[in-house]
């Protein structure tokens, strides 16, 4: 368990880190799951679009 001084020191370090590189701090605070979820959503969207296009192509060919 951290003492109150250690908590304060950790908060100071975190504040300095966020000020020094806000983009990296935002990326790290989002965690690794956020990136994986974005990739999965992008893959799902591409799959749905490809499926719709294939169905439309099939309808056009069979018409």
């Amino acid at each position: 368990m951290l003492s109150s001084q250690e908590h304060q020191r950790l908060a100071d370090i975190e504040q300095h880190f966020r000020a020094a590189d806000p983009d990296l701090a935002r990326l790290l605070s989002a965690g690794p799951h956020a990136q994986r979820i974005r990739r999965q959503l992008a893959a799902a969207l591409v799959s749905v679009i490809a499926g719709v296009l294939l169905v439309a192509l099939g309808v056009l060919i069979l018409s």
Side-chain angles (χ1 to χ4, degrees), residues 38-54:
R38 274 190 227 115
R39 277 195 306 265
Q40 288 174 343
L41 286 175
L45 181 61
V46 168
S47 298
V48 167
I49 291 171
V52 168
L53 290 175
L54 286 173

Side-chain angles (χ1 to χ4, degrees), residues 14 16-17 38 45 55 60:
E14 183 178 349
H16 176 72
F17 173 69
R38 274 190 227 115
L45 181 61
V55 168
L60 287 174

Side-chain angles (χ1 to χ4, degrees), residues 1 7 9-10 21 23 27-28 32 47 51 56 60:
M1 192 116 173
H7 277 287
R9 181 66 181 138
L10 188 57
D21 195 345
D23 292 334
L27 179 67
L28 292 176
S47 298
L60 287 174

